[in-house]
C-alpha cells in the first residue's frame, strides 16, 4: 500500500507545492478537497448533488481554481454506486445503475480526468474510506478488515491481505439478506430492490419509516436501538464468517448514537455463540468492533489516498 503518514508527492524532485485533489461523491453532496493527507488539507468545498452537468461543472471549477496556483498531481474519487471498476470495460469509471435520478451511466472518472488533465484514482466511497482508515485511521495495524457505513444507506468496503476487494463488481454489503426479526414482521423494508436486506431493515430511512422519527430524534432507551443492534450484529456475523476480518469499523450517521456501538458488540458476541474461538469476539471485542479513527473524514482522506496510488501508478 506504500508508506503511511503524510503524502509528499513533491519529494521525488517535483514542486514542494504539489497537492492532490479528492472527491467524496455522495447522493446528496460532493465533498471536494485539495491536500496531501488528513493534516495537510488546504481547502474543501461542499457541492450539492443536483444534475451531473451542474454538479460536475462546479467540481471542475473548484479544482481548476487551485490549478492556477498549485500543481495537482492526481485526483482521487470515492463514489456512490453502483460503479464500473473494470478497467477493460467500455464504461470503466462510470456510475452505472444508481437509483439517483439522472446519474445512471454518468462517466465520472473519465470526464474529470480529461477536463483536469491529471491521473484519476477511482473506487467506491466505502472502499475509499477503508483505504483512508488503513493509511491513517483505525486499521493501521491490520491488513484485513471491513469498513461499514450505516446512514442513508448501508455500504461496505473491505481490505484483505492489504488489497481492497474488487471482483465481479465491488462489495455491496448493505444488500446481504438477513431474516426479519419476529418483532418486525409487519415491516417490509425500504430497499426498492430487496425489501428486507440489511440496508432495507437497518439504514437511517428504515429506522425513520418504522418508528416515524429519524434516528437522531430517538431516545437512547427507545426500542428501536435493540432492534437495530440485532440486525447489525447479524449482518456483521455474516461478513465475519465470509471474510474473516481482523477488525470491523462502523461509521455513518446512524452510528453517531453513542449507545449503539456497545449494543452491537454485545449482540455480535451473542450471535457468535462461541463458535469462533478468537479473543476479538470475547475479551477484546472493543478492539474488534470500533468507530472510524478518522471520524467523518474517512471518505475524503481515502480519496486523497486513491489519488496518491493513481499518481504513483502513472509516474
Amino acid at each position: 500500500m506504500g508508506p503511511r503518514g503524510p503524502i509528499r508527492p513533491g519529494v521525488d524532485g517535483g514542486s514542494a507545492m504539489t497537492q492532490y485533489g479528492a472527491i467524496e461523491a455522495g447522493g446528496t453532496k460532493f465533498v471536494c478537497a485539495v491536500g496531501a493527507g488528513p493534516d495537510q488539507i488546504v481547502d474543501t468545498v461542499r457541492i450539492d448533488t443536483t444534475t451531473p452537468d451542474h454538479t460536475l461543472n462546479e467540481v471542475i471549477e473548484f479544482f481548476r481554481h487551485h490549478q492556477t496556483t498549485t500543481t495537482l498531481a492526481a485526483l482521487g474519487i470515492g463514489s456512490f454506486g453502483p460503479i464500473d471498476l473494470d478497467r477493460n470495460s467500455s464504461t470503466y469509471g462510470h456510475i452505472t445503475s444508481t437509483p439517483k435520478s439522472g446519474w445512471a451511466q454518468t462517466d465520472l472518472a473519465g470526464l474529470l480526468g480529461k477536463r483536469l488533465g491529471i491521473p484519476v484514482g477511482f473506487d467506491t466511497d466505502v472502499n475509499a474510506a477503508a483505504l483512508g482508515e488503513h493509511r491513517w485511521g483505525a486499521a493501521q495495524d491490520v491488513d484485513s478488515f471491513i469498513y461499514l457505513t450505516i446512514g442513508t444507506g448501508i455500504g461496505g468496503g473491505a481490505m484483505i491481505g492489504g488489497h481492497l476487494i474488487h471482483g465481479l463488481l465491488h462489495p455491496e454489503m448493505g444488500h446481504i439478506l438477513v431474516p426479519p426479526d419476529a418483532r418486525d414482521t409487519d415491516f417490509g423494508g425500504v430497499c426498492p430492490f430487496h425489501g428486507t436486506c440489511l440496508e432495507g431493515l437497518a439504514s437511517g430511512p428504515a429506522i425513520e419509516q418504522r418508528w416515524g422519527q429519524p434516528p437522531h430524534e430517538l431516545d437512547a432507551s427507545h426500542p428501536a436501538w435493540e432492534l437495530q443492534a440485532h440486525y447489525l450484529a447479524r449482518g456483521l456475523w455474516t461478513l465475519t464468517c465470509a471474510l474473516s476480518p481482523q477488525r470491523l469499523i462502523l461509521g455513518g450517521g446512524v452510528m453517531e448514537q453513542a449507545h449503539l456501538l456497545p449494543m452491537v458488540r454485545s449482540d455480535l458476541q451473542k450471535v457468535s455463540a462461541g463458535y469462533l474461538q478468537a479473543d476479538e469476539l470475547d475479551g477484546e471485542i472493543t478492539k474488534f468492533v470500533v468507530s472510524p479513527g478518522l471520524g467523518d473524514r474517512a471518505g475524503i482522506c481515502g480519496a486523497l489516498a486513491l489519488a496518491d496510488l493513481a499518481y504513483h501508478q502513472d509516474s
Side-chain angles (χ1 to χ4, degrees):
M1 298 302 301
R4 299 180 191 166
I7 302 170
R8 302 187 187 279
V11 300
D12 58 1
S15 167
M17 290 297 292
T18 301
Q19 303 284 345
Y20 290 130
I23 301 172
E24 183 180 8
T28 57
K29 66 182 184 299
F30 276 47
V31 177
C32 302
V34 170
D39 299 323
Q40 296 85 28
I41 293 177
V42 298
D43 194 14
T44 62
V45 67
R46 170 181 168 150
I47 296 169
D48 290 338
T49 307
T50 55
T51 65
D53 283 348
H54 185 268
T55 303
L56 296 182
N57 281 335
E58 286 197 48
V59 168
I60 291 165
E61 182 178 346
F62 171 77
F63 288 117
R64 280 185 170 169
H65 169 74
H66 282 278
Q67 284 182 316
T68 63
T69 58
T70 302
T71 299
L72 293 184
L75 175 69
I77 306 171
S79 176
F80 70 95
I83 59 177
D84 188 345
L85 295 174
D86 180 0
R87 289 185 174 275
N88 296 317
S89 169
S90 62
T91 57
Y92 168 75
H94 285 57
I95 297 172
T96 58
S97 58
T98 178
K100 177 67 177 176
S101 178
W103 283 82
Q105 308 308 320
T106 296
D107 181 7
L108 191 58
L111 173 66
L112 292 175
K114 182 177 180 180
R115 296 282 294 275
L116 296 173
I118 53 178
V120 175
F122 184 62
D123 214 319
T124 64
D125 47 1
V126 280
N127 258 355
L131 185 60
E133 287 293 321
H134 181 58
R135 185 166 292 206
W136 298 294
Q140 293 183 69
D141 59 332
V142 297
D143 64 4
S144 296
F145 68 96
I146 291 169
Y147 176 93
L148 197 73
T149 182
I150 303 100
T152 303
I154 294 180
M159 181 175 285
I160 301 298
H163 299 280
L164 292 173
I165 290 182
H166 303 105
L168 177 66
L169 294 172
H170 47 74
E172 285 286 359
M173 297 179 191
H175 294 275
I176 61 174
L177 300 178
V178 293
D181 186 78
R183 297 164 290 180
D184 203 31
T185 54
D186 292 335
F187 184 64
V190 299
C191 175
F193 296 94
H194 311 112
T196 56
C197 60
L198 184 61
E199 179 173 294
L201 291 170
S203 62
I207 295 172
E208 182 169 4
Q209 184 167 311
R210 185 188 287 112
W211 302 105
Q213 293 177 275
H216 67 273
E217 293 183 5
L218 298 175
D219 186 83
S221 63
H222 195 284
W225 301 117
E226 184 178 346
L227 190 62
Q228 182 72 4
H230 171 93
Y231 284 133
L232 291 178
R234 278 146 186 80
L236 292 174
W237 175 247
T238 297
L239 294 171
T240 298
C241 289
L243 297 178
S244 194
Q246 297 164 297
R247 188 157 298 148
L248 300 169
I249 303 174
L250 306 185
V254 172
M255 294 306 304
E256 291 176 1
Q257 318 305 312
H259 55 274
L260 181 57
L261 185 61
M263 296 175 71
V264 173
R265 288 170 175 155
S266 178
D267 260 38
L268 180 58
Q269 288 180 309
K270 291 176 185 176
V271 76
S272 69
Y275 178 71
L276 296 181
Q277 298 296 304
D279 290 342
E280 286 78 5
L281 286 166
D282 189 17
E284 296 187 4
I285 188 73
T286 58
K287 298 180 181 178
F288 182 56
V289 186
V290 303
S291 298
L294 295 170
D296 61 6
R297 299 189 303 152
I300 197 65
C301 291
L304 286 171
L306 285 174
D308 179 53
L309 292 176
Y311 172 76
H312 287 97
Q313 288 170 357
D314 196 67
S315 61

